[in-house]
Amino acid sequence: MKNKENDRLGTIMRILFIAFLFLIQIAFMILLTYFLKNHAVIVYTFIEVLSVIVLMHLMAEERNSAYKMFWMTIVLLLPIVGHIMYDFWGKKHSNLRKHSLIQKQIDRVNYKQITNDEILNNMDNIDAQRLSSYLTNYHYPPYKNNITKLFFSGDEAYEKIKDDIRNAKKFIFISVYTISKGKVLNEIYELLKEKAREGVEVKLIYDDIGSILKIPKGLKEHLEEIGMEVTVFNEIHKNAFKQYYNYRSHQKIIVIDGNISYTGGFDLKDSFINLQENDTYYKDCAVRTEGESTWSFTLIFIGMWNAASDNKIKDFEKYKNTYEMKCGIICQPFADGPANYVHIAEDMYKYLISTARRTLYLTTPYLNPDDEMVDCLCLAAKSGVDIRIITPKIYDKKVSKYLSEYNFGRLLKNGVRIYEYNKGLIRSKIILNEFASIVGTINMNFRSFYLHYECGNFVPDTEFTNELKYEILELLKDCDEITFDEWIHRSKKTKVIQYVLNIFKSQL
């Protein structure tokens, strides 16, 4: 990892800066109390007017209500520090330049996507056609002639990934959120090292926050020494005093020779194959696609690479598919992120929910949606759709458990059925109804929909969707259904913690 000490220093500096702001707040209150007694009313009035201006600015912005509530709370609770924090990290324009630069690189790549109107026109299901058209409008078109393989186990997916890497002839692209020392990293390192020696082009992107304090010291340099190219997305020490540190790349993509692609919940860490130090079982999934749609995942990777790296890829064509298939199903890979200011992933989820006629199944490690998504789920459930959501019983973060559980109430009350996976931590990110499904990296929470760069594979195919549905029904055998009565009778301490945390849900 590039200059790990700088990463730590940047984090420490930001914490110290926030502490300094709180000291300013305390000092100001002392000053106001003891030295400005005769002018306290004037000063207080000035602060109130300033707060009203900030709040009016927040209300006028086109942002999610949870985000607005968070900053309103900060401004009201900390009338001096809150204004400074909002100016540094809360204002929308503070990230515009960075977003614009990233989106510019993504747009330059996406014009190479191949749009075939015949695929859209020949779709039997009108809702699938509309969803596909929506993605096409944002330059993520459908591709036919694909063979997909679902892995509902990280162990199985990992073995196939290694086989595909061994057979790579031209290039290997890997994008992950987390790199962590352990067996998985060691094995992949050796495989990539061998392929680099054979002349295979290897490129790796990982997220700085996702890997910080987990990645072996000097790994980036070691990888580059053996002939790989490595890019770190949004290095925290470069953005320690800006809110942009909060935007992370959660995309998980593997592309082999332009013919094979993967997406799902995998990372380069041992928990993917359940070799972590704790005893928690991780239930993950991934989908392997072979065929024309791999070109779309290739372009998604290149877009993020060019956005994060100084060594930009200019010749896109050399990474195209090297063989053609004349059979298979339609797949439509897509990406999302805060740079485009269009919430593609959230829109796709809402549309799949609202168009469900009989069933809507969803698996997610984190259930922390905004009010609009909750309303959408409740409306579908009240209209008679069998909605089942599977979340973990065991969480990797206590805060996530509190926030997820807090959201159970309204959903259960309106007929949504919620299950907790009792064998460990479910990390699969899946949503499906009768005609289509999405498998990818998208969690059902605020961060995935608004703050993270994500990706997914939209598959408007009933056979593939039914296979997913079967796996989820099998998964339900290892789940405990939560009732509204159980939720109501959770402890008072838990309720208080959840009420407080819910204020900050947009940042957690």
Side-chain angles (χ1 to χ4, degrees):
M1 182 172 63
K2 183 179 179 180
N3 204 342
K4 190 173 180 180
E5 294 303 320
N6 280 348
D7 294 338
R8 291 175 176 172
L9 179 61
T11 306
I12 293 170
M13 287 175 64
R14 186 171 185 277
I15 293 171
L16 290 175
F17 184 66
I18 294 174
F20 177 69
L21 291 179
F22 277 97
L23 289 176
I24 292 176
Q25 176 82 37
I26 295 171
F28 181 83
M29 297 306 294
I30 294 173
L31 188 69
L32 186 66
T33 303
Y34 292 101
F35 298 103
L36 299 176
K37 291 180 180 179
N38 296 330
H39 306 285
V41 174
I42 297 174
V43 175
Y44 178 78
T45 302
F46 172 76
I47 295 172
E48 287 299 302
V49 170
L50 185 60
S51 296
V52 169
I53 293 172
V54 172
L55 293 177
M56 289 176 65
H57 182 267
L58 264 169
M59 291 299 296
E61 283 194 326
E62 295 182 4
R63 287 193 172 188
N64 183 271
S65 57
Y67 188 89
K68 292 180 180 181
M69 182 174 67
F70 168 75
W71 281 111
M72 285 179 180
T73 303
I74 294 297
V75 170
L76 290 174
L77 287 178
L78 306 170
I80 299 299
V81 174
H83 296 150
I84 299 173
M85 292 173 68
Y86 177 69
D87 190 63
F88 266 88
W89 305 309
K91 287 185 178 179
K92 199 171 184 178
H93 68 73
S94 63
N95 302 306
L96 279 177
R97 185 175 180 278
K98 187 73 172 179
H99 283 323
S100 178
L101 291 173
I102 290 178
Q103 192 59 41
K104 185 178 181 180
Q105 295 299 331
I106 293 172
D107 291 340
R108 280 181 177 175
V109 174
N110 268 350
Y111 85 93
K112 287 290 186 177
Q113 295 274 9
I114 302 170
T115 302
N116 185 345
D117 292 334
E118 184 181 346
I119 301 175
L120 273 173
N121 296 333
N122 289 337
M123 287 186 180
D124 295 331
N125 187 289
I126 186 63
D127 289 317
Q129 187 183 69
R130 286 174 177 171
L131 263 173
S132 184
S133 179
Y134 170 85
L135 287 178
T136 303
N137 287 336
Y138 291 106
H139 311 294
Y140 297 109
Y143 292 82
K144 61 180 182 179
N145 301 322
N146 301 281
I147 297 174
T148 57
K149 170 64 176 176
L150 176 70
F151 296 96
F152 223 73
S153 161
D155 307 65
E156 294 178 6
Y158 179 60
E159 292 303 318
K160 190 62 178 175
I161 288 170
K162 289 193 294 183
D163 285 342
D164 287 332
I165 290 176
R166 290 189 189 99
N167 295 323
K169 303 298 182 185
K170 292 174 57 181
F171 70 91
I172 302 168
F173 290 166
I174 301 176
S175 177
V176 292
Y177 179 64
T178 302
I179 293 180
S180 182
K181 50 190 172 184
K183 179 181 178 181
V184 169
L185 178 59
N186 292 339
E187 290 184 348
I188 295 297
Y189 173 86
E190 292 299 326
L191 285 173
L192 296 178
K193 181 179 178 180
E194 183 62 30
K195 300 314 293 186
R197 284 175 177 169
E198 294 174 8
V200 175
E201 181 181 347
V202 182
K203 284 183 166 62
L204 169 68
I205 304 174
Y206 68 86
D207 186 82
D208 199 19
I209 285 286
S211 303
I212 196 168
L213 303 181
K214 302 172 185 175
I215 192 169
K217 186 177 181 179
L219 178 66
K220 183 175 185 293
E221 288 74 15
H222 289 314
L223 293 173
E224 290 173 339
E225 286 173 3
I226 65 173
M228 289 179 56
E229 293 184 73
V230 183
T231 287
V232 185
F233 183 83
N234 195 6
E235 293 174 281
I236 189 171
H237 69 274
K238 293 181 179 180
N239 297 286
F241 295 104
K242 304 173 186 177
Q243 198 218 12
Y244 205 83
Y245 83 94
N246 212 13
Y247 299 104
R248 313 312 314 174
S249 176
H250 195 246
Q251 292 181 1
K252 302 175 184 184
I253 298 170
I254 298 176
V255 179
I256 312 290
D257 291 342
N259 301 318
I260 298 167
S261 58
Y262 288 85
T263 192
F266 54 80
D267 273 308
L268 298 185
K269 59 180 183 179
D270 286 356
S271 61
F272 180 53
I273 59 172
N274 285 293
L275 290 179
Q276 64 280 0
E277 292 180 359
N278 60 52
D279 295 329
T280 303
Y281 175 74
Y282 284 71
K283 183 69 171 177
D284 220 322
C285 78
V287 60
R288 179 186 186 271
T289 306
E290 189 173 355
E292 295 177 4
S293 68
T294 292
W295 175 237
S296 189
F297 272 124
T298 303
L299 293 177
I300 291 171
F301 177 92
I302 294 174
M304 290 301 289
W305 177 273
N306 286 355
S309 173
D310 294 329
N311 185 21
K312 303 190 187 312
I313 299 172
K314 297 179 181 178
D315 183 7
F316 307 152
E317 297 297 325
K318 73 175 184 177
Y319 300 108
K320 262 195 166 183
N321 308 57
T322 55
Y323 71 92
E324 294 184 359
M325 298 175 60
K326 296 298 181 184
C327 62
I329 63 175
I330 295 172
C331 291
Q332 197 162 359
F334 66 94
D336 191 17
N340 55 25
Y341 291 107
V342 179
H343 309 303
I344 295 175
E346 184 184 40
D347 289 345
M348 292 292 290
Y349 268 52
K350 285 180 178 178
Y351 201 98
L352 281 173
I353 295 167
S354 62
T355 55
R357 298 291 179 264
R358 298 182 302 278
T359 58
L360 190 288
Y361 293 170
L362 192 153
T363 67
T364 178
Y366 310 113
L367 185 62
N368 184 26
D370 62 12
D371 291 338
E372 292 181 3
M373 184 66 74
V374 173
D375 289 340
C376 190
L377 287 164
C378 291
L379 180 60
K382 287 190 289 187
S383 69
V385 178
D386 176 20
I387 299 181
R388 306 188 190 193
I389 300 175
I390 301 177
T391 64
K393 182 181 288 289
I394 302 171
Y395 283 79
D396 53 352
K397 302 171 185 175
K398 191 71 171 179
V399 169
S400 300
K401 179 173 178 61
Y402 280 127
L403 282 172
S404 293
E405 191 179 83
Y406 178 82
N407 290 287
F408 289 178
R410 278 185 60 200
L411 295 170
L412 291 169
K413 191 175 183 180
N414 286 278
V416 175
R417 300 177 70 181
I418 298 175
Y419 298 80
E420 289 185 336
Y421 181 61
N422 57 34
K423 292 186 69 175
L425 173 58
I426 184 164
R427 297 180 59 199
S428 308
K429 294 96 171 168
I430 299 170
I431 185 171
L432 64 88
N433 60 17
E434 300 87 10
F435 65 85
S437 55
I438 295 173
V439 180
T441 67
I442 305 157
N443 292 310
M444 190 68 158
N445 66 353
F446 189 96
R447 297 197 66 85
S448 272
F449 291 139
Y450 295 97
L451 301 178
H452 284 176
Y453 290 90
E454 305 280 4
C455 64
N457 197 351
F458 171 62
V459 184
D461 181 80
T462 53
E463 184 176 345
F464 178 80
T465 299
N466 285 335
E467 180 186 352
L468 269 178
K469 183 178 179 181
Y470 171 80
E471 293 290 348
I472 292 176
L473 289 173
E474 288 295 304
L475 191 65
L476 286 173
K477 297 176 181 178
D478 295 318
C479 296
D480 299 321
E481 186 169 4
I482 306 302
T483 66
F484 184 70
D485 186 64
E486 288 174 339
W487 181 83
I488 279 288
H489 290 95
R490 66 199 192 283
S491 70
K492 291 183 179 179
K493 176 185 174 182
T494 297
K495 291 179 181 179
V496 171
I497 293 173
Q498 289 171 340
Y499 287 143
V500 174
L501 288 176
N502 191 57
I503 298 173
F504 306 99
K505 67 186 295 181
S506 67
Q507 303 295 312
L508 298 173

